[in-house]
């Protein structure tokens, strides 16, 4: 209180702001000498004052200020032996147990970092297979999910958390759930006569971790560089990369208790601990950590809307309602004893994982061509512009009553023993109305959850599956190490397409649990941010009704679902249609044929004529608005009464289908992106959320401008956005030089031709071409070629067509949609919008534009009528 924050901040800066206190990581494709020079140019001015503190700032409070306490006089929230009850914004039910793990010494911290005992505990407590803690909680109808992991990670402690997503019944039995968690922890504790965690658990966790390390795929450079810079503050240079990613990092025969301990210095794959001593060190560290997960050291937090109106405290900054209740000593004693016979007979350690691939199964069939290590890591322009060989059709049974069209590509680029198999049964009825869409949501949730116990081991071993019901049919996706992928896919597809009862709820109580999950997920829409609501209503008006159903429609349909109706629906899913598949990865042609044959035998669907297959969806064209006229506008009241933000979402639609059309929208987006932010956010300070970009639906593109404000109304945001757009031509496009056009084009070319980082990205890109029927596998390179030829005149002409409406009406015309969200109170609020703006005309016509001639304004109740009329126009 009464602290001079500015003086304190300056003192902190003068004490600690020094290069020797900092870490810097840079990830880029340029050669090391060039990267080194980039760092020198950018950071050489950072001071390195020898008079500044040699120790990092956390040393000033390390071990002095306790992070948690059970004394209410020393903390706003007493931590131990209390229950913290929190009222969330969304309808969440969750109990979380948190243990602060304070480092006892430097050796203890080194053990936690190098041996990572928390990794083994998270594996066991968070397991989802048979006889797991989650399996028991689900059998009682108490939980929907469970997770265990480390969370806060600071210089003198980290936290270990176990979090359970509760059902309504689980919330009523939360004390028993906490008791079951402590009883599982007791299972892991050791006695004088035996070590309870079997050795194979440690061996298996290490093997799975090493498998992931061995075949680590490239990811986003942004997340990689962040992990590196954090690692630099925790590990020695030789472990900057491996440190946070690998286990058992102490060299064989070494101990962190020794002042000259040795670290693992090999990047080679290990299938086991180096020796018995290394294993015992890990077991000992894990045993020590288990002992810290006691009842007395746990922080218990329960989050639920059921506490609303019953709490006595309000958090200062965010206004969150909460309460603190002491835990009765009798309950603490009950959790400590942990002698519930039902729990002890239901939980156990997971059995050995049958899905871990064999060494023989990890062989790569076609090793990739190795690049010369002395050459530049930067991909040349010529290499970028060369299209990646596409998948080829290996089976085509024709269009009319044809059974399969199968695409296949054997991997020769990434050199990993992985494959992806995507199978879709094209059928027209599974998503034909909102009720079927509600059934689809329930089916996806039920099937995934019911198969979880079987599939969890496969997931740990690097495999995955997904089932999705889509507007054009049902899709199954399998991916991961190819060694046992076929057996995994055969089992899962049989359960999905034949053993229907095995993936459906076995009781009304279980069915209601799934229904509750869907209902709460749909209700969470109401507490999303206004800018998300504005984007949602905008997207509805661009898409046909049988592609996206409204949140309100799905809520109502979900309430009407019954277990009997769901069972009938599921039995119709796989009965008829046409199969479409992509098989890509470390498989040869014969294995691909075998995969398709097994899936085909499992599904056993009947073929249908081509006319019965679902048509590909088309974007709904916006009404054309004359230059100077007010665009189409939808105005909706913000559903969350406590959110005082207004939002505006302006979309300019381009119906052009050519590569040139698409890249012109992209280049316009690049030109206006920073100026738009600079105008509304920086100069006018209308709101913290200001952005622009390009969104695609099928072959159309939308140039989107988004803003959200707590001080300006939606009408003001829209007015300023349109004012900005009115001046785009004169302020930015007419000022373009050839050099500037080339700069924007080059930036987009680099983005488009970025090589696929892994097999999953390439397979996903190929499937997008197959599923949409475009089959333009070299699309990115074709668009890059168009960018090379774009001129200033092209850009101005296209803007004139899109925004000023100077083009032909078929693909051009001024097609603009404004989506506004109006808060119910606060400085950004305005007149409460009507639910409908469509008035009957004198000649009783129902056409929306006729009924609302001045400008087409829509309320929330006008959405369906608008979509019906635009669907008729799109199909004509």
């Amino acid at each position: 209180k009464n602290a001079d924050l500015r003086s304190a901040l300056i003192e902190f800066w003068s004490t600690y702001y020094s290069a020797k206190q900092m870490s810097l990581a840079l990830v880029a494709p340029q050669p090391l000498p060039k990267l080194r020079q980039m760092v020198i140019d950018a950071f050489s001015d950072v001071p390195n004052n020898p008079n500044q503190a040699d120790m990092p700032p956390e040393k000033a409070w390390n071990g002095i200020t306790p992070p948690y306490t059970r004394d209410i006089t020393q903390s706003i929230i007493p931590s131990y032996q209390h229950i913290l009850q929190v009222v969330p914004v969304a309808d969440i039910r969750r109990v979380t147990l948190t243990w602060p793990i304070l480092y006892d010494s430097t050796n203890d911290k080194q053990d936690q970092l190098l041996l990572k005992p928390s990794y083994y505990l998270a594996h066991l407590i968070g397991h989802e297979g048979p006889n797991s803690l989650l399996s028991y909680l689900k059998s009682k109808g108490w939980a929907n999910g469970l997770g265990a992991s480390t969370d806060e990670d600071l210089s003198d402690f980290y936290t270990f958390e176990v979090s359970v997503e509760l059902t309504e019944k689980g919330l009523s039995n939360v004390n028993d759930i906490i008791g079951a968690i402590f009883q599982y922890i007791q299972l892991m504790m050791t006695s004088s006569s035996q070590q309870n965690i079997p050795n194979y658990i440690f061996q298996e966790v290490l093997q799975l971790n090493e498998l992931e390390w061995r075949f680590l795929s490239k990811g986003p450079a942004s997340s990689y560089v962040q992990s590196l810079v954090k690692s630099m503050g925790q590990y020695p240079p030789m472990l900057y990369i491996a440190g946070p990613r690998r286990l058992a990092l102490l060299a064989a025969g070494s101990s962190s208790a020794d002042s000259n301990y040795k670290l693992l210095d090999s990047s080679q794959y290990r299938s086991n601990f180096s020796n018995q001593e290394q294993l015992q060190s890990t077991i000992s560290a894990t045993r020590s950590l288990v002992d810290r997960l006691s009842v007395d050291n746990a922080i218990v937090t329960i989050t639920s809307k059921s506490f609303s109106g019953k709490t006595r405290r309000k958090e200062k900054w965010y206004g969150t309602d909460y309460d603190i209740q002491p835990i009765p000593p009798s309950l603490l004693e009950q959790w400590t004893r942990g002698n519930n016979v039902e729990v002890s007979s239901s939980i156990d350690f997971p059995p050995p994982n049958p899905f871990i691939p064999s060494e023989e199964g990890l062989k790569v069939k076609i090793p990739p061509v190795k690049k010369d290590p002395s050459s530049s890591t930067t991909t040349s322009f010529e290499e970028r512009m060369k299209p990646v060989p596409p998948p080829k059709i290996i089976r085509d049974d024709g269009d009319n009553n044809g059974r399969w069209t199968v695409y296949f590509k054997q991997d020769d680029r990434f050199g990993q023993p992985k494959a992806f198999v995507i199978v879709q049964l094209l059928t027209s009825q599974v998503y034909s109305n909102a009720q079927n869409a509600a059934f689809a949501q329930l089916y996806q949730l039920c099937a995934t959850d019911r198969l979880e116990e079987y599939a969890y081991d496969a997931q740990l071993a690097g495999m995955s599956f997904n089932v999705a019901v889509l507007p054009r049919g049902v899709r199954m996706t399998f991916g991961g190490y190819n060694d046992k992928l076929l057996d995994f896919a055969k089992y899962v597809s049989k359960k999905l397409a034949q053993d229907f009862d095995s993936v459906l709820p076995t009781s009304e109580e279980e069915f209601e649990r799934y229904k509750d999950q869907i209902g709460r997920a749909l209700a969470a829409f109401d507490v999303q941010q206004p800018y998300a609501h504005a984007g949602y209503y905008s997207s509805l008006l661009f898409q046909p009704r049988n592609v996206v159903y409204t949140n309100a429609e799905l809520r109502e349909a979900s309430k009407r679902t019954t277990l009997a109706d769901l069972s009938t629906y599921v039995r119709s899913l796989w009965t008829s249609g046409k199969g479409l598949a992509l098989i890509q990865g470390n498989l040869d042609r014969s294995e691909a044929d075998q995969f398709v044959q097994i899936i085909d035998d499992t599904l056993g669907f009947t073929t249908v004529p081509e006319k019965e297959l679902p048509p590909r969806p088309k974007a709904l064209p916006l009404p054309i608005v004359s230059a100077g006229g007010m665009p189409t506008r939808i105005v909706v009241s913000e559903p969350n009464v406590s959110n005082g933000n207004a939002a505006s979402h302006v979309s300019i639609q381009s119906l052009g289908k050519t590569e040139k059309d698409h890249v012109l929208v992209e280049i316009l987006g690049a030109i206006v992106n920073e100026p738009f932010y600079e105008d509304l956010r920086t100069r006018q300070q209308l709101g913290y959320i200001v952005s622009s970009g390009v969104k695609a639906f099928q072959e159309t593109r939308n140039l989107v401008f988004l803003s959200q404000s707590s001080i300006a109304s939606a009408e003001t945001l829209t007015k300023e956005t349109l004012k900005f757009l009115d001046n785009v031509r004169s302020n930015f496009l007419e000022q373009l030089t050839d050099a500037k056009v080339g700069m924007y084009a080059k930036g987009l070319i680099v983005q488009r031709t970025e090589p696929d980082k892994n097999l999953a990205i390439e397979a996903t890109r190929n499937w997008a071409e197959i599923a949409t029927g475009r089959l333009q596998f070299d699309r990115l390179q074709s668009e890059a070629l168009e960018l090379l030829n774009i001129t200033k005149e092209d850009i101005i002409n296209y803007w004139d067509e899109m925004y000023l409406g100077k083009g032909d009406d078929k693909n051009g015309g001024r097609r603009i949609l404004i989506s506004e969200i109006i808060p119910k109170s606060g400085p950004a609020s305005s007149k409460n919008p009507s639910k409908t703006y469509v008035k009957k005309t004198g000649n009783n016509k129902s056409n929306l534009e006729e009924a609302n001639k001045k400008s087409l304004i829509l309320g929330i109740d006008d959405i369906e009528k608008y979509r019906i009329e635009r669907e008729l126009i799109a199909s004509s």
Side-chain angles (χ1 to χ4, degrees):
K1 289 183 178 180
N2 302 319
D4 185 346
L5 293 180
R6 184 176 184 277
S7 298
L9 185 61
I10 292 173
E11 181 183 357
F12 182 90
W13 178 87
S14 62
T15 304
Y16 296 109
Y17 191 83
S18 179
K20 60 186 175 184
Q21 297 276 30
M22 302 178 188
S23 297
L24 176 87
L26 177 63
V27 174
Q30 286 78 17
L32 284 176
K34 188 170 184 179
L35 295 182
R36 189 178 294 111
Q37 190 59 49
M38 288 168 61
V39 171
I40 292 171
D41 294 342
F43 297 99
S44 58
D45 290 339
V46 175
N48 189 30
N49 191 338
N51 297 322
Q52 290 171 323
D54 289 328
M55 63 177 62
E58 61 265 24
K59 292 291 184 180
W61 49 260
N62 193 348
I64 298 173
T65 304
Y68 299 97
T69 174
R70 56 174 54 91
D71 187 348
I72 196 168
T73 64
Q74 295 184 27
S75 174
I76 298 175
I77 300 176
S79 306
Y80 307 112
Q81 299 180 359
H82 288 76
I83 291 178
L84 175 63
Q85 299 172 335
V86 180
V87 181
V89 175
D91 192 2
I92 297 170
R93 293 191 292 261
R94 180 185 299 139
V95 59
T96 302
L97 271 62
T98 304
W99 291 270
I101 310 300
L102 279 68
Y103 299 126
D104 294 335
S105 62
T106 302
N107 288 342
D108 181 29
K109 183 173 182 178
Q110 288 300 316
D111 282 346
Q112 300 292 332
L113 287 171
L114 299 175
L115 301 178
K116 299 182 179 65
S118 61
Y119 202 94
Y120 302 90
L121 296 191
H123 170 83
L124 289 169
I125 300 174
H127 207 279
E128 299 180 14
N131 300 321
S132 64
L133 176 59
L134 179 60
S135 179
Y136 167 71
L137 296 177
K138 281 185 175 180
S139 72
K140 299 291 289 183
W142 292 347
N144 293 317
L146 180 149
S149 65
T150 58
D151 190 19
E152 299 294 339
D153 184 6
L154 301 177
S155 62
D156 56 344
F157 78 98
Y158 70 92
T159 59
F160 185 83
E161 284 192 357
V162 177
S163 187
V164 181
E165 298 298 323
L166 302 171
T167 63
E168 196 167 352
K169 185 178 178 183
L171 185 62
S172 301
N173 292 274
V174 70
N175 291 339
D176 291 331
I177 291 173
I178 296 172
I181 294 172
F182 282 116
Q183 199 153 339
Y184 196 94
I185 291 170
Q186 287 182 5
L187 177 70
M188 299 185 294
M189 288 183 175
T190 59
S191 65
S192 58
S193 60
Q194 68 179 60
Q195 172 208 315
N196 282 355
I197 302 178
N199 279 5
Y200 75 81
I201 296 288
F202 293 96
Q203 306 277 16
E204 190 175 274
V205 170
L206 178 74
Q207 188 178 1
L208 291 170
N209 175 261
E210 287 290 298
L211 188 67
E212 185 177 2
W213 167 258
R214 180 180 178 183
F215 298 108
L216 197 63
S217 296
K218 287 184 178 180
S222 57
S223 57
Y224 181 44
V225 78
Q226 289 179 59
S227 73
L228 284 177
V229 80
K230 181 180 179 182
S231 180
M232 291 168 72
Q234 297 175 317
Y235 297 93
M238 64 185 295
L239 292 179
Y240 282 169
I241 297 175
R245 294 171 175 82
R246 301 182 77 185
L247 306 176
L249 293 171
L250 281 171
S254 184
S255 168
S256 63
D258 301 331
S259 58
N260 59 343
Y261 64 83
K262 296 181 180 179
L263 300 171
L264 185 73
D265 60 358
S266 173
S267 61
Q268 295 301 309
Y269 166 72
R270 298 171 294 174
S271 60
N272 211 331
F273 287 92
S274 301
N275 56 27
Q276 192 65 21
E277 186 178 355
Q278 194 181 58
L279 170 62
Q280 288 305 318
S281 295
T282 299
I283 291 173
S284 176
T286 305
R287 181 185 305 166
S288 175
L289 181 57
V290 172
D291 291 341
R292 300 192 197 190
L293 305 187
S294 67
V295 172
D296 288 339
N297 291 338
I299 301 169
V300 181
T301 305
I302 305 174
T303 305
S304 172
K305 296 284 277 187
S306 65
F307 298 135
S308 183
K310 304 174 185 176
T311 58
R312 297 167 296 171
R313 303 169 185 248
K314 188 179 288 287
E315 193 273 333
K316 179 178 180 180
W317 303 108
Y318 291 97
T320 302
D321 293 322
Y322 72 97
D323 209 348
I324 304 163
Q325 300 288 347
I327 302 173
S330 59
L331 186 56
L332 293 171
E333 175 64 22
Q334 178 183 322
W335 290 343
T336 303
R337 287 199 312 269
N339 54 4
N340 187 311
V341 176
E342 182 187 31
V343 176
S344 60
S345 63
S346 301
I347 60 174
D348 202 351
F349 296 114
N353 191 329
F355 290 105
I356 297 177
S358 65
E359 192 61 34
E360 181 67 23
L362 291 172
K363 288 185 178 178
V364 174
K365 292 179 169 60
I366 305 179
V369 178
K370 290 188 176 180
K371 214 172 182 182
D372 182 356
S374 63
S375 64
S376 172
T377 56
T378 307
T379 308
S380 69
F381 178 76
E382 290 74 16
E383 290 174 310
R384 284 175 173 270
M385 294 302 291
K386 185 178 180 181
V388 176
K392 296 180 180 179
I393 294 177
I394 60 171
R395 177 173 174 180
D396 188 357
D397 300 336
D399 293 328
N400 199 32
N401 286 302
R403 190 165 189 81
W404 284 95
T405 299
V406 181
Y407 291 81
F408 168 69
K409 183 183 178 185
Q410 186 170 0
D411 178 52
D412 60 357
R413 299 180 66 205
F414 301 103
Q416 294 202 336
K418 298 180 180 181
F420 288 88
V421 178
I422 307 174
V423 177
Q424 184 164 338
L425 181 64
L426 300 175
T427 179
S428 59
Q429 295 303 312
V430 296
Y431 211 79
S432 56
N433 53 56
Q435 190 63 61
N436 280 350
F439 284 137
Q441 287 184 325
L442 269 169
Y443 170 66
Q444 290 165 186
L445 178 61
C446 293
T448 302
D449 188 65
R450 299 278 296 173
L451 285 167
E452 187 61 41
E453 286 197 5
Y454 168 81
Y456 188 73
D457 273 336
Q459 177 186 328
L460 291 176
M463 291 192 289
S464 63
F465 87 94
N466 176 264
V467 59
V469 183
L470 307 165
R472 299 195 71 232
V474 200
R475 186 185 67 205
M476 291 186 293
T477 305
F478 304 96
Y481 296 106
N482 57 271
D483 182 31
K484 299 177 182 179
L485 191 62
L486 178 58
D487 292 338
F488 177 61
K490 182 179 179 180
Y491 179 92
V492 171
S493 60
K494 185 175 185 295
K495 290 293 182 183
L496 292 173
Q498 292 183 10
D499 302 340
F500 305 111
D501 291 336
S502 67
V503 296
L504 289 175
T506 57
S507 66
E508 288 293 337
E509 181 180 348
E510 186 179 10
F511 175 70
E512 289 300 322
R513 175 166 73 85
Y514 291 124
K515 238 176 116 169
D516 173 68
Q517 284 182 262
I518 295 292
R520 286 187 295 124
L522 290 169
F525 168 83
D526 291 346
V527 294
Q528 290 179 357
Q529 286 294 318
Y531 74 85
H533 291 145
Y536 162 79
Y537 287 111
S538 178
S539 68
L540 280 181
L541 301 185
F542 286 110
Q543 300 182 75
R545 289 169 299 152
N546 62 354
V547 172
V548 178
Y549 297 97
T550 68
N551 181 270
E553 288 174 323
L554 291 174
R555 284 200 211 187
E556 287 302 313
S558 181
K559 292 175 184 176
R560 294 192 299 265
T561 56
T562 65
L563 180 54
D565 289 341
L566 177 63
S567 179
T568 300
Y569 171 81
V570 170
R571 281 166 169 74
S572 69
L573 276 178
W574 307 94
T575 55
S576 62
K578 177 180 179 177
L580 186 64
L582 168 66
I583 300 174
Q584 184 168 345
N586 191 44
L587 300 169
D588 58 32
R589 168 68 186 271
S590 63
E591 290 170 319
D593 288 334
Q594 183 186 12
F595 225 116
V596 174
Q597 191 58 54
I598 286 176
I599 296 293
D600 188 30
D601 292 343
T602 303
L603 298 184
F605 60 89
T606 58
T607 60
V608 297
E610 184 180 6
K611 64 181 180 181
E612 293 184 19
L613 295 176
R616 291 188 175 88
K618 296 181 180 179
L620 302 180
L622 290 174
I624 295 175
V625 182
S626 61
M630 189 63 180
T632 302
R633 185 163 151 249
I634 179 167
V635 191
V636 180
S637 180
E638 165 59 34
N640 184 0
V641 294
S642 63
N643 195 317
N645 289 287
S648 171
H649 188 283
V650 179
S651 301
I652 307 172
Q653 185 182 41
S654 167
L655 300 182
K657 299 178 181 179
T658 68
E659 287 91 347
K660 186 173 183 178
D661 291 324
H662 292 168
V663 299
L664 280 167
V665 177
E666 293 278 358
I667 209 166
L668 280 166
I671 291 169
V672 300
N673 182 46
E674 287 188 16
F676 178 65
Y677 181 89
E678 177 71 21
D679 185 7
L680 268 69
R681 171 69 183 90
T682 307
R683 187 179 66 81
Q684 299 192 58
Q685 298 187 3
L686 292 179
Y688 281 98
I689 298 176
V690 176
S691 66
S692 63
V694 177
K695 291 190 176 181
F697 179 68
Q698 297 299 317
E699 294 182 302
T700 65
R701 299 291 183 270
N702 294 337
L703 188 54
V704 172
F705 299 85
L706 171 68
S707 53
Q708 177 173 300
S709 177
S710 61
I711 58 172
S713 67
E715 293 92 333
T716 299
L717 295 174
T718 297
K719 176 186 174 183
E720 293 303 324
T721 299
L722 293 178
K723 181 179 176 182
F724 171 85
L725 295 175
D726 287 342
N727 293 308
V728 161
R729 192 186 204 278
S730 59
N731 288 350
F732 309 113
L733 304 187
E734 292 176 0
Q735 310 304 318
L736 287 172
T737 62
D738 291 343
K740 274 283 188 181
V741 172
M743 182 192 72
Y744 287 119
K746 182 181 178 181
L748 291 172
I749 289 172
V750 169
Q751 291 177 19
R752 264 173 168 62
T753 58
E754 177 71 23
D756 300 318
K757 292 185 182 299
N758 53 56
L759 177 64
I761 292 175
E762 184 187 332
T764 301
R765 179 171 53 78
N766 286 335
W767 177 252
E769 295 297 328
I770 294 167
T772 58
R774 295 186 300 243
L775 303 179
Q776 192 178 350
F777 297 103
D778 63 347
R779 173 181 303 277
L780 298 178
Q781 283 74 22
S782 296
E783 291 182 350
L785 285 173
E786 285 291 346
L787 281 164
L788 290 173
N789 300 314
I790 294 297
T791 66
K792 173 181 176 179
E793 184 180 9
D794 291 331
I795 297 170
I796 291 176
N797 288 342
Y798 204 74
W799 178 258
D800 288 348
E801 291 175 12
M802 259 191 8
Y803 189 70
L804 301 180
K806 294 184 178 180
D808 63 273
D809 289 351
K810 185 176 181 181
N811 289 327
R814 190 170 189 257
R815 303 175 189 269
I816 303 176
L817 173 66
I818 297 167
S819 176
E820 295 177 343
I821 302 298
I822 313 298
K824 293 182 171 64
S825 61
S829 63
S830 51
K831 182 181 178 182
N832 192 39
S834 171
K835 290 188 174 182
T836 179
Y837 287 88
V838 178
K839 302 176 178 63
K840 288 186 178 179
T841 59
N843 55 12
N844 217 21
K845 285 186 178 181
S846 62
N847 181 278
L848 288 173
E849 293 177 73
E850 180 69 23
N852 203 337
K853 279 199 168 197
K854 189 173 182 181
S855 65
L856 182 53
I857 304 177
L858 305 172
I860 194 170
D861 289 348
D862 300 324
I863 292 174
E864 182 176 13
K865 189 173 187 59
Y866 170 88
R867 294 171 89 186
I868 291 173
E869 292 195 2
R870 301 321 294 181
E871 285 169 17
L872 291 173
I873 293 171
S875 62
S876 61

